[in-house]
Amino acid sequence: MPQLLRDIVGSLYAPAIFPAIRILWIVFVAYVILKLIDSALNRLRLIIPSSDVVARVEQRTETLRHIIRSIAKGVLVLVVAFEIGAELGYNLGPVLASAGIAGLAVGFGAQSLVKDFISGFFILFEDQFGVGDVVRIGDFTGAVERMTLRATVLRNLEGQVLVVPNGNIPHVTVMTKEWARAVLDVTVPHKEDLSRVMEVLQRIGDRLAEDWPDRLLEKPVILGVEKLDDSGAMIRSVVKTPPFKNADVLREWRRRVKDDFDRSGIELVRKPVITSSTG
């Protein structure tokens, strides 16, 4: 009996063990490649200088890592299937041809989905915008709450959520890319001395820059008279701020202008209140 078992095992050894070794080798190589890709993507965090960029790169890296792993796994399954089929004597050509025809039929019905994935890939690859950015898509403005290859999720200040397929984004306005700008327009009556008004505005801007050095990237600049009409002269001032900080700066800037103008006796143009009556 032992001799009979050795004869049987010996006859099966050559055709069974070598294909198994080749399959295990392919699996091992694919596993090593996946680990190297994960390690390379994770090491991107080490060369990022700021925490804001780290968060964005982590989001993009995680998405791309899942995509690459999925593609690699799919290729591995195909290679292993071919290897097993060849070793067992099966011809997978007709099966793949049938699958190709079926895939082509499905592809015609999934063109929009493919368009969404391709658009999402280029949005992430080119870093057009990322999670945390404030963007305007069409008439909707909100913060990017979540991104996938298929869709982008926005949430505005009112809590409303907009889900936009990436393929349906013709153009997007990014309002917090690297830096933002606060624009302050002040309208004063024609009787006011514009030189004195600009001097007070410059003094307010200088103090604001001193008090909020973490929210202003530079000192405010008084551009001058932006508009003249019957109501008065509109003076425009601008300042660069970090992303998503321009609204906070503008609120504080307006408050200081109001207080300093009151102390300096400078009037602001008040818009007339329009009332309606029925009779």
Side-chain angles (χ1 to χ4, degrees), residues 83-278:
E83 186 69 22
I84 295 175
E87 295 299 332
L88 296 179
Y90 292 106
N91 184 9
L92 298 179
V95 177
L96 292 177
S98 301
I101 295 174
L104 184 62
V106 174
F108 281 113
Q111 290 182 3
S112 61
L113 184 63
V114 173
K115 180 182 177 182
D116 294 340
F117 273 81
I118 293 176
S119 300
F121 174 80
F122 280 105
I123 289 173
L124 292 172
F125 182 76
E126 297 175 357
D127 195 19
Q128 298 176 12
F129 57 87
V131 174
D133 282 333
V134 177
V135 301
R136 180 187 298 117
I137 299 177
D139 296 330
F140 194 93
T141 302
V144 179
E145 194 170 76
R146 185 166 58 88
M147 289 183 63
T148 65
L149 284 182
R150 193 192 68 82
T152 297
V153 180
L154 306 181
R155 185 184 295 272
N156 63 11
L157 292 177
E158 299 176 358
Q160 299 171 341
V161 175
L162 175 68
V163 180
V164 188
N166 293 324
N168 293 342
I169 302 178
H171 54 80
V172 57
T173 302
V174 184
M175 306 172 69
T176 54
K177 188 75 169 183
E178 297 180 358
W179 56 269
R181 175 172 284 146
V183 181
L184 176 68
D185 291 329
V186 175
T187 303
V188 296
H190 290 293
K191 67 178 182 179
E192 297 291 347
D193 184 355
L194 295 184
S195 298
R196 177 168 174 265
V197 173
M198 293 183 186
E199 180 181 347
V200 174
L201 286 173
Q202 188 64 60
R203 186 168 62 246
I204 296 171
D206 292 343
R207 287 204 308 268
L208 183 63
E210 293 176 1
D211 296 342
W212 282 16
D214 58 328
R215 301 194 184 187
L216 273 69
L217 300 180
E218 59 184 22
K219 287 187 177 181
V221 177
I222 313 301
L223 298 181
V225 179
E226 183 69 18
K227 182 180 178 181
L228 284 172
D229 55 24
D230 294 340
S231 61
M234 185 177 73
I235 302 174
R236 173 162 294 180
S237 306
V238 297
V239 65
K240 279 187 177 181
T241 71
F244 209 43
K245 298 297 182 182
N246 54 333
D248 296 337
V249 170
L250 197 54
R251 294 187 192 97
E252 177 64 17
W253 203 357
R254 291 193 186 108
R255 185 190 67 80
R256 296 190 180 205
V257 167
K258 176 64 170 59
D259 292 344
D260 278 39
F261 274 26
D262 288 345
R263 286 193 292 266
S264 301
I266 299 175
E267 294 184 13
L268 289 170
V269 171
R270 294 176 173 82
K271 293 183 179 181
V273 178
I274 301 177
T275 60
S276 60
S277 60
T278 59

